[in-house]
Structures are given as structure tokens and as C-alpha cells.
Amino acid sequence: MNFFSLPPSGNPIPISHIFRATSVFFRNTQGEDGFQKIIKTYLKVKHCLLVSSGTAALWLILKAAKKIEQKRNEVIIPAYTCPSVAAAVIRAGLKPILCDINMQDFGFELEALKKKINFKTLAIIIVHLFGFPSNIKKVKQISRSSNILLIEDAAQALGNSMINSPQEKLGSLGDIGFYSFGRGKPLTLNHGGLIVTNNSQLFEQIFQIYQTIERPSLTENFLLLAKLYFYVFFFHPSLYWIPQSIPFLKLGKTIFDLNFKIKKTSPIAVALANKSIGLIEENKKVRQKNTTFLLQRLNSFKKINLPAYPFPYLRFPLIVSSNTHRNRLLAHLRAQGLGATMFYPCPLNEQPGLKEYLHDTNIYPNAKKLSQTLITLPLHQGVSHKDLNTMVDIITHYL
Ligand SMILES: *Cc1c(COP(=O)(O)O)cnc(C)c1O
């Protein structure tokens, strides 16, 4: 057993913020309008709406889109992404169509994308994996020319922008976008999702459906508080091994679940969001600094593929030459509790639970390759200089 273990992603939440959220909850004050105002200014969008998770946000967007375009039922998604994306599509009564990714920005392979479009295509979901901008300008040209809704999954990208263009915030560049405040996301609140758009017609449809969903129950709110205190306590290398070794918490497991909750947001998460919003920029700076350090130290190694830019990735993606090398190097990093992960273990058409829905036997070469050769390293505030040096030592020694 290893008594040191870095969380792979996310950020520490100051305990004072949680005390504050607790007291706001018991005094029953609403802070949702205030938070919405701040977010609208920050992301320069007309409309926004908070719900219980990123997946619930996506479900709501798709339900509304389906109501507007009733004859279309296909939604194109990357073959390598979070299985919750497919879960939202299926639960909205729509059909996920997988498309291969490219190995540069991990977004869509554009030629493959064009081939997936037909008269039944309702929407394209573009994902900014690791918070890195995928080629949204090109994808937008494609979606515009076929009159298809472009949904931007910025669950991993809150606060990040297009390269060298801080004005263009990821999530605000498609027809509609969403974010997640779940575990391991750029602003970790352990609960919540956010929809943003400038499209008033679509937003109106979304708002109508939103009014029919419930608020979290008192029990759910108390559970969230308990979870937050638990998280604050254990988000520390000397303690994170404890929750990690409890199987039912399923930390680091990629699961497909159609029974995700669809609720309005919890007032606790809103209070916490109001208190923590400044952390977005702060966390981003730390991740950028740590990325720059890793790039400088690892740049001379030809056997690994590194990110091309010193960008504030959510996690540092490192691509090695084969599956065998990946598994071995990952084992070395894990043995030191360095928070390295393989990320999603397989393309979506191989994901247990989901593959039975998709019946998709196509091969997505890049999705497959990435799932077999990727290692992610943590970049968050809990990672010390010593940890980064140990990562570099293990990697250079292995190579
Ligand atoms: C986490 C994530 C989601 C889902 O967000 P939740 O808040 O966990 O439901 C969707 N897409 C991507 C790319 C994600 O990383």
C-alpha cells in the first residue's frame, strides 16, 4: 500500500469556502442570479442556466434541440470521450454516432466528420479534451453549411480560451455550450453543470423544460455538504489513498450510467461557486506553469509525444509509443502515487454498458490508439515541485 497519492485532477477547495456555503444554505439565501451575472460577463454570453451536472446540462440542450427539429435524431460525438456524453444523447431519445478523433488537438478528424453528416443529423458535440481547444472554427463551418446545431462540450475547459486569443473563451464559441463543476473539473464543486448560449430561441425551449425538473431534495443537499467536507479533507496526497482504496467510491473508474440525476442546481453549489469563482483563473495559472515545466524538462525525448503548446491543460497528456510501454510506465508512476492515469480506457464503442446500445463494430484508429498509449499527469495546485521532478525522473529513467 502506498501512503502517498496525488489526486489526478481537480483542485483543493478552501475549507472556509465550504463553511460559507454551509451557512448560506442554512440561512436560505439565493445566490443564483448573482452567479449568473458574473458568468455572463466572464464568458460574454447572453443566457446561462445552472443544473445538477454537466451530463444533465447536455441532456437538457438535446431535449430542447429535439423539440425544435423533430425529424432529426442523430448526434455526432467523438469516439474517444467521456461516456456521459453518450449517456445524455441516449437518454434524450437520440442516437449517438461516433466519429474518429485526430491526434493533434484530440478533436474530430474533419474528413471523417463530413462523412458522418446526413439529413438526420441533429447536432454535433465538439469536445475540448483536457481543456485544449479543438478546431472549432473548421467544425463550425461544417455545421453551419449543413444547418446543424453545434454543441460545445467544455466540461474540461472552463476558463480556457483559443490559443493566443484570451477573448475567445471555450464553451462560448459554438451555438450552445456547457460546463461541469464535478469532480476533477477546472472548478471543482462536486456538483453542478452550466449551460451558456447566445441563441434566444433555443434557450427559451431549454428554460421551458428546465421549469419541469425538480430541485435537489433536502437529503441530497445534506449529502452534497457531507461530500464536500469529505473532499476537502481527503484532497491531499497524504490522505487521498484512503478514498482511492474504497471500491464503492469508484474513484478513477470510467463508467457508463443512463440513470444520472437530472435536477436543478443545489443552493450549496451556488454559494460555493460564488465564493470560488476567482479560483478559475488562479488554477489556470498553476496548470500553465506546471505544463511549461514538464514541457521544458521532457522536450528532448523523441520517444514520447508531448503537447505542442504550454497551455493550461486540465491534465498533462503524454503519448508513448506502444500500449506495452504505456502500461509499464504508468505502473512506475502509479507506484509512486503520482496521480498518473490512462484516462478513458477504450473508445466508446468498446465501453462496457454502452457497446450494447451502440452495436458499432467500426474501428476508430486514433480513438483506439489514444486509449492505448495515453498517460495523463496531474497539474493542479496540490502538485508540488518535488512531485513534478519525481515524474520527470521516472519518465526519463524509463525512456
Ligand atoms: C465530466 C465530463 C462530462 C460530464 O459532466 P458531469 O458533471 O460529470 O456530468 C461531459 N463531458 C466531458 C468531456 C467531461 O469530462
Side-chain angles (χ1 to χ4, degrees), residues 145-278:
S145 68
S146 306
N147 205 10
I148 292 167
L149 185 73
L150 180 58
I151 303 171
E152 212 180 343
D153 178 342
Q156 302 180 9
L158 178 60
N160 287 1
S161 319
M162 296 301 281
I163 289 165
N164 298 326
S165 181
Q167 295 299 311
E168 296 179 284
K169 289 268 190 310
L170 304 183
S172 71
L173 308 170
D175 296 314
I176 188 159
F178 72 93
Y179 303 88
S180 163
F181 301 118
R183 207 160 18 83
K185 304 299 156 111
L187 183 63
T188 307
L189 308 176
N190 279 278
H191 170 102
L194 172 72
I195 298 171
V196 299
T197 187
N198 290 317
N199 182 329
S200 302
Q201 187 210 0
L202 183 55
F203 188 74
E204 206 168 287
Q205 286 294 335
I206 288 173
F207 199 74
Q208 276 183 22
I209 304 169
Y210 172 80
Q211 283 169 318
T212 67
I213 66 179
E214 291 172 8
R215 297 202 169 277
S217 65
L218 193 62
T219 317
E220 283 168 327
N221 282 320
F222 273 111
L223 276 173
L224 176 58
L225 267 185
K227 213 160 124 187
L228 285 167
Y229 282 101
F230 187 86
Y231 180 88
V232 172
F233 186 73
F234 286 106
F235 194 91
H236 194 279
S238 59
L239 293 168
Y240 191 71
W241 61 273
I242 299 171
Q244 218 169 25
S245 51
I246 303 174
F248 77 82
L249 291 177
K250 297 199 176 84
L251 288 186
K253 294 271 182 307
T254 299
I255 45 169
F256 171 75
D257 174 22
L258 277 178
N259 294 315
F260 56 88
K261 286 212 167 95
I262 300 171
K263 298 256 171 138
K264 291 178 178 162
T265 199
S266 162
I268 295 163
V270 174
L272 195 56
N274 271 321
K275 192 83 188 148
S276 304
I277 192 146

Side-chain angles (χ1 to χ4, degrees), residues 53-56 81-82 84-85 127 129 153 155-156 178 180-182 185 192 344:
S53 73
T55 315
T81 195
C82 178
S84 313
V85 174
V127 179
L129 211 60
D153 178 342
Q156 302 180 9
F178 72 93
S180 163
F181 301 118
K185 304 299 156 111
Y344 311 129

